[in-house]
């Protein structure tokens, strides 16, 4: 099994697939790589056979860089593939969703139940006037109605945009407005660590400035007394009560399946557009390969449906494969830090997909919380969201996987739609901290600034050199941004630029080094420094702000803001009318209100000036070095070096 030499660094250890696992794996031979490489189009066409199509494609791929069309002229329906087609088999009575709410309530939906729920909501949405192509916003807690709403939209060909329930009213408003959503599906609230997340209240605030929304559908989750506005709002359960399932819409392979907003290098989140055929082929096939999905598995992905992981590997991928999917509403440490282990034990979870930030939190809470739970059902573990540090990898391997479960570290993005770099667990030896190698049929590389390939050992930029089926098609309403940001980095070469730095090692394993742009990764969530900075400068006290990601033991990175206050505010603090501490709290609350709790700064440092180059560019690199107490490096380009000395004196060695 594991070959562990003495005195070897964790990341140099190699873990071979356990023999028992290898013998039963979906992919048993390395031939798959050679076959896929010989003809990626044939490879993906074969993978497409996993789905039911109303009409097959004329051509697998039309590549007019940087625009791709996959499974050209084919017709299908994503909801039909995730639900209806399973009814023709014994899966009709198989558990599709096993739900556990944070308060402990549970619900199991078979594929038949799912069909009824999804179909009825789809009919109801149609009656509300939602037509093919209309956008529907979804702002729900992690309850069954969330995947149901996504699938109901897919059923009638209406692209959904799911907005994470932790986002603020303003973040919701901006996304709804960018997408021009016609209907919003939300809930009276959700549970998080015993408290109510006031979703409807946020939604109402958002809708004060979101005129495109005509109707609001409200799921009763919390059950408090509540008056709905009869003009615009209706209860979900009343709306679907009299409905029966409508038939699924035949959509084109290239029709939009959903929009999902993610942070980029500018202040405004971008709507990543995914279409139907290629996306569904990509996620269905990769889940089968990377997670070795079997009919009997109880599959648990802990991501929220508000992120791409929830879309691809909680809803579309697993359900298209006919899997049993576990859905949990709440926090891992509620009411105690053993909640996840309790769930794995109770439902016999076999595949467990989570994030390094969660694993680091479990490490800190301690392995004693696993005591007394039977985790022997687990056979495969997965991680996503950020590089996993080898210590966390080893802890996960030893305490959760009991040395028997391969860990598949999956590198991918909202934009890639599907796993790009990941092990095939039956055949790929693992190295803690490396996502290992690109999946079959994908051409990934590490290149220099001009796009030239770099030899093993050298750090460079991570690119994808050929189109893949689940790739984003454009940025909603901003094609130029799609072309420029993702494909225009290396003139003369049509390479997709990921925004990540990486290096390969001598075995051609990929080691992801994190973002090289102005995006920071906090607990596996992407935040744009620009977005945070514009939120801060909207506060009346702030003159200027710079935000950096500071290394953080659990979250990977934490938000730290450097702020220059307006003169009059500074004077007020000096005169004792306001305090620094109150100001700091006010700014933290302000960012939470603007974006959401995930964006709340860990610290706000005040400074008379921000360090800038002579051309006026803020040197965030220096700010990060100061916050992390690191060597500053080259400061010769600074226009105002004295600022640095002052900042170092005040905040330099703070932890
Ligand atoms: C980071 C999440 C290292 C990376 C699916 C990427 C990772 C960004 C990994 C995308 C991994 C994701 N190892 N880094 N296994 N997975 N990342 O769009 O920086 O929320 O660019 O998609 O997360 O984040 P997104």
């Amino acid at each position: 099994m594991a070959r562990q030499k003495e005195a070897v660094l964790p990341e140099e250890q190699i873990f071979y697939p356990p023999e028992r696992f290898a013998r039963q794996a979906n992919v048993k031979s390395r031939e798959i790589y050679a076959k896929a490489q010989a003809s990626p189009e044939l490879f993906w066409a074969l993978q497409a056979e996993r789905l039911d199509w109303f009409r097959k494609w004329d051509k697998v791929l039309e590549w007019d860089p940087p625009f791709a069309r996959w499974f050209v002229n084919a017709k299908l329906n994503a909801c039909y593939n995730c639900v209806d087609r399973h009814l023709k088999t014994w899966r009709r009575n198989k558990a599709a969703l096993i739900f556990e709410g944070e308060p402990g309530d549970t619900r199991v939906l078979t594929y038949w139940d799912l069909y009824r729920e999804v179909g009825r909501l789809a009919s109801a949405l149609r009656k509300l006037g939602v037509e093919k192509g209309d956008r529907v916003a979804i702002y729900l807690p992690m309850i069954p109605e969330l995947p149901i709403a996504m699938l109901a939209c897919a059923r009638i060909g209406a692209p959904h945009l799911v907005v994470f329930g932790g986002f603020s009213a303003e973040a919701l408003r901006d996304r709804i407005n960018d997408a021009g959503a016609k209907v919003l599906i939300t809930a009276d609230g959700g549970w998080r660590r015993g408290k109510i997340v006031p979703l409807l209240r946020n939604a109402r605030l958002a809708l004060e400035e979101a005129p495109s929304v005509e109707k609001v559908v409200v799921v009763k989750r919390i059950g408090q007394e509540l008056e709905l506005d009869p003009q615009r709002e209706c209860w979900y359960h009343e709306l679907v009560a009299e409905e029966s399932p409508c038939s699924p819409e035949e959509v084109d392979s290239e029709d939009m399946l959903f929009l999902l907003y993610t942070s980029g290098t500018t202040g405004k989140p971008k709507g990543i557009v995914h279409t139907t055929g290629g996306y569904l082929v990509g996620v269905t096939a990769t889940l089968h390969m990377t997670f070795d999905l079997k009919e009997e598995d109880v599959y648990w992905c802990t991501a929220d449906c508000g992120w791409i992981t929830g879309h691809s590997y909680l809803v579309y991928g697993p359900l298209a494969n006919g899997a049993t999917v576990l859905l949990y509403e709440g926090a891992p440490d509620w009411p105690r830090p053993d909640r996840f282990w309790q769930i794995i034990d109770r439902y016999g979870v076999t595949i467990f997909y989570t994030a390094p930030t969660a694993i680091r939190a479990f490490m800190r809470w301690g392995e004693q919380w696993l005591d007394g739970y039977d985790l022997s059902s687990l056979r495969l573990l997965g991680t996503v969201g950020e590089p996993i540090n080898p210590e966390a990898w080893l802890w996960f391997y030893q305490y959760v996987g009991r040395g028997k479960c391969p860990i598949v570290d999956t590198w991918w993005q909202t934009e890639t739609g599907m796993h790009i770099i990941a092990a095939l667990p039956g055949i790929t030896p693992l190295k803690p901290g490396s996502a290992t190698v690109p999946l079959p049929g994908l051409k990934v590389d590490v290149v220099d600034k001009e796009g030239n390939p770099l030899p093993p050992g050298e750090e460079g930029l991570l690119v994808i050199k050929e189109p893949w089926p689940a790739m984003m098609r454009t940025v909603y309403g901003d094609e130029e941004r799609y072309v420029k940001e993702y494909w225009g980095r290396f003139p003369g070469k049509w390479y997709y630029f990921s925004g990540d730095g990486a290096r390969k090692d001598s075995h051609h394993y990929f080691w992801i080094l994190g973002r090289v742009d102005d995006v920071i990764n906090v607990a596996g969530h992407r935040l744009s420094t620009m977005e945070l900075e514009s939120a801060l400068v909207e506060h009346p006290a702030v003159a200027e702000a710079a935000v950096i990601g500071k290394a953080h033991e659990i979250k990977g990175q934490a938000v730290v803001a450097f702020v220059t206050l307006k003169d009059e505010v500074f004077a007020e603090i000096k005169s004792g009318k306001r305090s620094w501490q109150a100001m700091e709290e006010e700014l933290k609350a302000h960012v939470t209100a603007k974006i959401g709790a995930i964006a709340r700064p860990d610290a706000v440092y005040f400074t008379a000036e921000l360090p800038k180059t002579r051309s006026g560019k803020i040197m965030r690199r220096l700010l990060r070095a100061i916050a992390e107490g690191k060597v500053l490096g080259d400061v010769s380009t600074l226009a105002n070096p004295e600022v640095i000395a002052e900042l170092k004196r005040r905040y330099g060695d703070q932890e």
Side-chain angles (χ1 to χ4, degrees):
M1 239 220 298
R3 189 186 67 189
Q4 295 182 30
K5 286 188 237 134
E6 291 294 314
V8 164
L9 290 173
E11 57 269 38
E12 286 171 4
Q13 291 180 32
I14 297 178
F15 292 79
Y16 292 94
E19 219 178 283
R20 260 183 53 196
F21 189 95
R23 248 186 284 129
Q24 60 82 61
N26 287 347
V27 181
K28 292 191 185 65
S29 156
R30 307 193 60 77
E31 258 177 31
I32 191 171
Y33 290 104
K35 277 194 182 151
Q37 199 179 1
S39 172
E41 287 183 32
L42 178 62
F43 175 75
W44 291 116
L46 288 171
Q47 299 300 327
E49 297 295 338
R50 295 179 185 282
L51 302 182
D52 283 10
W53 302 81
F54 299 139
R55 182 190 187 278
K56 287 273 172 84
W57 48 94
D58 296 329
K59 223 174 146 189
V60 176
L61 168 67
E62 218 168 72
W63 179 223
D64 178 13
F67 300 102
R69 295 174 69 212
W70 282 87
F71 306 104
V72 182
N73 296 332
K75 306 276 183 242
L76 76 163
N77 181 284
C79 175
Y80 178 86
N81 274 281
C82 291
V83 183
D84 302 52
R85 65 175 179 147
H86 304 311
L87 305 182
K88 291 182 273 181
T89 71
W90 70 271
R91 283 185 191 145
R92 179 187 180 90
N93 298 321
K94 176 178 177 176
L97 293 176
I98 300 177
F99 167 70
E100 182 167 306
E102 199 187 73
D105 52 322
T106 61
R107 202 173 147 195
V108 178
L109 286 98
T110 63
Y111 273 96
W112 171 253
D113 297 331
L114 189 61
Y115 161 76
R116 298 246 317 140
E117 293 292 330
V118 169
R120 288 157 73 204
L121 178 60
S123 298
L125 288 175
R126 269 196 184 144
K127 285 207 185 131
L128 288 183
V130 179
E131 287 171 22
K132 182 166 176 253
D134 286 342
R135 277 82 56 218
V136 174
I138 301 176
Y139 185 56
L140 284 173
M142 281 289 282
I143 55 177
E145 284 77 6
L146 177 43
I148 287 168
M150 292 163 73
L151 292 165
C153 290
R155 191 169 192 84
I156 58 175
H160 52 72
L161 55 129
V162 182
V163 180
F164 172 54
F167 274 129
S168 68
E170 287 194 27
L172 174 64
R173 177 199 64 195
D174 292 348
R175 285 158 176 78
I176 288 176
N177 284 335
D178 189 78
K182 194 169 186 180
V183 165
L184 168 66
I185 305 177
T186 186
D188 55 352
W191 293 108
R192 189 77 186 170
R193 294 204 170 86
K195 292 208 188 92
I196 292 172
V197 185
L199 293 168
L200 182 61
R201 197 177 75 198
N202 289 347
R204 283 175 172 166
L205 271 174
L207 295 191
E208 282 173 12
E209 292 169 72
S212 64
V213 173
E214 294 167 11
K215 289 279 174 208
V216 183
V217 180
V218 186
V219 177
K220 198 174 234 169
R221 168 69 185 141
I222 301 299
Q224 286 172 321
E225 280 301 311
L226 199 77
E227 283 283 318
L228 294 192
D229 161 10
Q231 293 292 310
R232 195 169 59 177
E233 298 167 345
C234 56
W235 287 113
Y236 177 103
H237 58 276
E238 287 176 6
L239 185 73
V240 301
E242 303 294 318
E243 298 296 336
S244 50
C246 62
S247 57
E249 184 91 29
E250 253 186 45
V251 309
D252 189 88
S253 181
E254 281 302 322
D255 279 342
M256 196 194 326
L257 177 61
F258 65 84
L259 254 171
L260 184 60
Y261 285 82
T262 189
S263 293
T265 48
T266 69
K268 208 172 144 264
K270 46 195 171 179
I272 304 299
V273 172
H274 281 289
T275 58
T276 309
Y279 172 80
L280 204 61
V281 169
V283 298
T284 308
T286 49
L287 183 60
H288 185 80
M289 288 190 275
T290 55
F291 287 165
D292 193 51
L293 191 73
K294 298 283 187 333
E295 198 67 75
E296 321 72 69
D297 277 313
V298 176
Y299 170 91
W300 186 18
C301 166
T302 67
D304 191 286
C305 286
W307 314 109
I308 191 69
T309 307
H311 283 65
S312 301
Y313 297 109
L314 196 153
V315 179
Y316 289 110
L319 296 176
N321 276 297
T324 295
V325 176
L326 198 129
L327 187 69
Y328 169 58
E329 180 186 22
D333 54 349
W334 187 265
R336 297 187 317 168
D338 58 352
R339 187 68 183 265
F340 275 19
W341 320 128
Q342 196 184 63
I343 290 175
I344 291 172
D345 184 347
R346 180 175 300 154
Y347 301 100
V349 172
T350 57
I351 300 176
F352 179 51
Y353 189 21
T354 193
T357 182
I359 299 168
R360 288 192 296 265
F362 298 141
M363 281 174 78
R364 187 158 79 180
W365 296 328
E367 48 272 11
Q368 74 278 6
W369 289 106
L370 287 88
D371 288 350
Y373 290 110
D374 180 3
L375 305 186
S376 62
S377 56
L378 287 173
R379 63 181 198 89
L380 184 119
L381 306 173
T383 68
V384 62
E386 56 178 311
I388 181 164
N389 46 313
E391 296 71 24
W393 196 101
L394 290 169
W395 188 92
F396 200 34
Y397 189 77
Q398 183 179 349
Y399 291 105
V400 182
R402 297 144 297 115
K404 288 196 313 199
C405 305
I407 299 179
V408 182
D409 175 355
T410 59
W411 178 87
W412 59 296
Q413 308 177 293
T414 306
E415 293 88 341
T416 70
M418 66 185 212
H419 295 159
I420 298 292
I421 304 177
L424 299 183
I427 56 175
T428 313
L430 306 172
K431 299 188 191 188
S434 165
T436 75
V437 294
L439 288 173
L442 297 173
K443 208 154 172 221
V444 184
D445 209 350
V446 177
V447 300
D448 67 15
K449 285 198 176 101
E450 277 76 50
N452 304 307
L454 286 171
E458 282 188 38
E459 293 182 0
L461 307 172
L462 187 67
V463 298
I464 310 177
K465 292 182 164 176
E466 301 283 345
W468 64 100
M471 64 193 262
M472 70 185 288
R473 298 300 195 262
T474 188
V475 173
Y476 191 71
D478 197 348
E479 197 156 280
E480 199 187 319
R481 195 165 171 193
Y482 168 71
V483 177
K484 233 173 96 187
E485 254 177 51
Y486 294 103
W487 298 90
R489 180 88 177 205
F490 312 100
K493 296 185 176 99
W494 289 114
Y495 292 168
Y496 167 85
F497 175 52
S498 64
D500 278 358
R503 71 178 164 78
K504 286 191 282 187
D505 67 15
S506 56
H507 295 116
H508 291 259
Y509 273 43
F510 285 75
W511 296 78
I512 311 296
L513 304 167
R515 304 289 305 192
V516 295
D517 51 13
D518 292 330
V519 171
I520 54 182
N521 190 329
V522 178
H525 301 317
R526 272 164 73 169
L527 294 171
S528 141
T529 51
M530 286 284 289
E531 197 181 346
L532 287 155
E533 286 163 12
S534 22
L536 281 163
V537 295
E538 274 176 48
H539 189 282
V542 175
E544 205 175 18
V547 167
I548 54 123
K550 172 186 175 178
H552 185 279
E553 198 191 337
I554 305 276
K555 296 193 273 193
Q557 285 185 310
V559 175
V560 172
F562 288 80
V563 167
T564 305
L565 293 174
K566 290 193 180 140
D567 288 344
E568 62 272 22
V569 182
F570 182 70
E572 278 177 19
I573 295 177
K574 278 279 162 206
S575 69
K577 260 178 54 198
R578 297 168 91 159
S579 77
W580 288 114
Q581 219 171 10
M583 195 69 238
E584 175 167 359
E585 282 311 309
E586 197 175 319
L587 292 180
K588 285 179 178 175
H590 174 76
V591 175
T592 309
K594 285 268 159 200
I595 303 175
I598 46 169
R600 183 183 166 90
D602 270 31
V604 179
Y605 296 160
F606 295 102
T607 172
E609 252 183 275
L610 291 166
K612 290 188 186 157
T613 62
R614 283 181 202 102
S615 56
K617 217 171 161 298
I618 297 171
M619 292 192 76
R620 292 194 187 77
R621 174 178 64 80
L622 292 181
L623 293 174
R624 189 162 64 232
I626 289 167
E628 293 178 350
K630 292 220 176 101
V631 184
L632 292 186
D634 185 14
V635 294
S636 60
T637 52
L638 269 185
N640 48 357
E642 67 288 348
V643 176
I644 288 292
E646 175 63 13
L647 275 170
K648 257 181 89 170
R649 194 179 57 74
R650 302 234 315 261
Y651 301 114
D653 45 14
Q654 276 196 7
E655 245 318 289

